[in-house]
Amino acid sequence: MNEDFRSDVLAMREYLLNAVKAADQLKAVSEGAPMSAASMQQTLERASGQFEYAVLELRKICERYCPGVGGYPKQSLIETEHPTGRVEIVNDRWVRVTLNTLLPHSRFYSPIWLSDTIRCLLTGYEREHGRLPFFPKAVLVIEEDCSIGGRRIFDQDNKGWKAVANAIKGWLIPDDDQFSLSIALRSVFSDENCCRILIGPEEKTSEIIEFCQRRQQI
């Protein structure tokens, strides 16, 4: 058997087994086993994270080993599922990614599905429009539009914004260290629940922030 294939399958299986263990813990709680609210939330998020890892690992295996004839197609997810957002160039200079969801929680696990979604959207844009800009030193502005009732997470430091930086690293920026990437998180009162991500050159930080503020006033 191909050793790479075997290694990939074992990794995927390990994530799945960990998810099943977390699900078994939740089953025990549902049958009366004591567990605090904080522990239950942690267990739920751990199970969710492990299932995400398992699903993404399985999809990578399918894309890597299936020939695409009479089975799993060897093509980007963007071609087989409806995208959850769009990518565009703003003012002929900056990249903007709009997602129809808010940032997820990141207390226990980095939301890898968010990084994966953004990379799929970037892939789809480049397939249709060509190479996106690359910024040696960049600013990343993440702006959430939501109402008080529509928001999911109260504190900015609990939001999964790091998944955004991970998604664009090596693609739009060389790295996400402190001298390569500056980061700003903004929130805007709105009836929408969406997230707008702007990436541009660091020297244009004030211009990009001003652009976001003007849009907010419209």
Side-chain angles (χ1 to χ4, degrees):
M1 177 181 291
N2 184 303
E3 283 302 316
D4 290 337
F5 178 74
R6 183 174 185 275
S7 177
D8 289 339
V9 170
L10 288 176
M12 181 272 296
R13 184 174 180 273
E14 184 68 23
Y15 290 133
L16 188 56
L17 287 174
N18 288 337
V20 171
K21 290 177 183 177
D24 285 343
Q25 285 183 291
L26 293 172
K27 179 176 180 292
V29 173
S30 71
E31 294 172 348
M35 180 179 284
S36 68
S39 295
M40 181 179 293
Q41 179 176 344
Q42 184 173 356
T43 304
L44 282 166
E45 293 184 5
R46 182 182 296 112
S48 174
Q50 292 294 350
F51 272 110
E52 285 178 12
Y53 281 120
V55 169
L56 290 175
E57 284 298 316
L58 180 57
R59 192 178 74 192
K60 289 176 185 176
I61 291 172
C62 289
E63 292 174 344
R64 190 174 296 128
Y65 298 105
C66 293
V69 177
Y72 191 93
K74 291 194 71 173
Q75 57 189 12
S76 169
L77 182 66
I78 201 76
E79 296 177 351
T80 57
E81 294 185 1
H82 295 296
T84 56
R86 66 181 184 276
V87 177
E88 55 193 324
I89 301 296
V90 178
N91 288 359
D92 297 323
R93 295 187 292 274
W94 316 321
V95 177
R96 179 165 68 182
V97 180
T98 303
L99 302 173
N100 61 357
T101 184
L102 299 175
L103 293 173
H105 209 294
S106 64
R107 183 187 304 176
F108 303 112
Y109 287 93
S110 177
I112 56 173
W113 66 265
L114 178 57
S115 298
D116 194 68
T117 296
I118 293 173
R119 284 192 289 264
C120 285
L121 291 172
L122 295 176
T123 297
Y125 181 93
E126 289 194 339
R127 184 184 299 113
E128 294 185 15
H129 305 286
R131 189 74 174 89
L132 285 161
F134 186 84
F135 307 105
K137 295 190 69 175
V139 59
L140 168 64
V141 179
I142 303 176
E143 184 177 80
E144 287 191 304
D145 287 19
C146 64
S147 63
I148 293 293
R151 67 181 178 176
R152 298 178 182 173
I153 306 159
F154 299 155
D155 300 328
Q156 299 282 43
D157 61 334
N158 287 331
K159 296 178 181 179
W161 58 265
K162 291 181 181 179
V164 179
N166 289 335
I168 64 175
K169 181 167 61 176
W171 198 320
L172 304 180
I173 59 174
D175 204 346
D176 57 356
D177 65 90
Q178 67 185 74
F179 296 112
S180 299
L181 183 66
S182 299
I183 299 170
L185 301 179
R186 288 170 43 84
S187 296
V188 177
F189 282 107
S190 171
D191 291 332
E192 291 185 87
N193 279 347
C194 68
C195 182
R196 293 181 174 87
I197 301 162
L198 270 166
I199 308 102
E202 186 185 50
E203 64 269 19
K204 297 295 183 181
T205 297
S206 59
E207 190 176 336
I208 293 173
I209 295 293
E210 184 181 352
F211 171 84
C212 292
Q213 291 172 333
R214 287 201 307 270
R215 190 195 65 80
Q216 181 179 349
Q217 295 167 1
I218 296 175

